[in-house]
Amino acid sequence: MDRRLRADLLRRAARDQRVRASTPQTFLSPLKALRFVWVDGGNTAWLDRVVRRRGWPGTALVGRDAAHAAWLLAQHADWRRRAQRRFLRAMREAVERGDADPKDLAYLEDRVRVNAGLPQRYGTQYGMWPNRMQKRAAASTNGVAWTQILRPMPP
C-alpha cells in the first residue's frame, strides 16, 4: 500500500468536501465559485498526474476509502473534461480488475455523459433548478436494474 498517496487522496477529498459543505445549496456567490474552481482545479491536475504515472489509484494501492476519495476528485473534475474522461477509462479498467467500486464507476459514467450533453445511463446525476433538485435526463437502461450495477462484478 502506498501510504503517502493514500494520505494525499484523503486530505484532498476532505478539503473538497469542506468547500462544498460551506456553500449554501440555493446560492453560489462568485467568491464561493472561485473556491470551487481553485480546489477542483488543483485536485484535478494532481489526480491527472497520478493517473498518467501510475494508473487508477485503486483499493490494492491505497485502500477502499482512499480509492473512493480518488473517485470523488474525478467526479468533481468538471472543469477539465478530457481529464475526467481519462479518469473514467482508468477507473473502468480498475473495476474490471476488481480494484474499484462499480457504484463509483456508475456515478462517474453518468457525470461524464451529462457533461458531454448525453443522457445518463444510470440516473445518478441531479441538477439544481430554481426551487428544487431534479434528476437529469437518463437514457434507457435496456432492462439493467440499478441493483445489478451495485453487485460486485465477477473477476
Side-chain angles (χ1 to χ4, degrees):
M1 179 171 299
D2 186 329
R3 294 190 190 283
R4 183 174 181 182
L5 180 56
R6 173 184 166 73
D8 285 346
L9 283 163
L10 293 173
R11 181 181 50 80
R12 287 175 177 277
R15 185 174 196 194
D16 171 286
Q17 292 301 282
R18 277 194 309 274
V19 168
R20 283 167 169 75
S22 69
T23 302
Q25 293 294 317
T26 56
F27 176 71
L28 184 62
S29 72
L31 181 59
K32 291 285 186 177
L34 284 175
R35 285 186 69 198
F36 271 58
V37 171
W38 185 71
V39 169
D40 290 349
N43 285 340
T44 300
W46 177 84
L47 184 61
D48 198 25
R49 286 190 303 274
V50 168
V51 170
R52 285 174 183 264
R53 291 177 184 159
R54 303 186 70 177
W56 186 255
T59 56
L61 181 63
V62 295
R64 186 177 305 248
D65 54 346
H68 182 72
W71 161 80
L72 182 71
L73 302 184
Q75 185 80 352
H76 293 158
D78 299 309
W79 296 98
R80 292 196 43 213
R81 293 180 182 169
R82 288 171 69 184
Q84 196 175 48
R85 287 190 303 269
R86 193 169 23 260
F87 300 154
L88 177 62
R89 287 189 301 272
M91 188 176 196
R92 193 177 287 135
E93 292 171 5
V95 166
E96 289 171 6
R97 291 190 312 272
D99 199 27
D101 188 342
K103 179 180 171 186
D104 289 348
L105 178 64
Y107 274 84
L108 186 56
E109 173 82 32
D110 277 356
R111 184 66 154 252
V112 168
R113 291 178 67 84
V114 165
N115 284 339
L118 299 170
Q120 300 183 62
R121 182 163 287 144
Y122 305 108
T124 64
Q125 300 300 297
Y126 287 76
M128 183 65 123
W129 275 259
N131 296 324
R132 68 188 188 288
M133 293 288 285
Q134 180 176 327
K135 190 176 283 192
R136 296 179 183 218
S140 167
T141 59
N142 296 324
V144 175
W146 176 246
T147 53
Q148 290 176 294
I149 302 307
L150 298 181
R151 272 191 249 141
M153 296 178 117

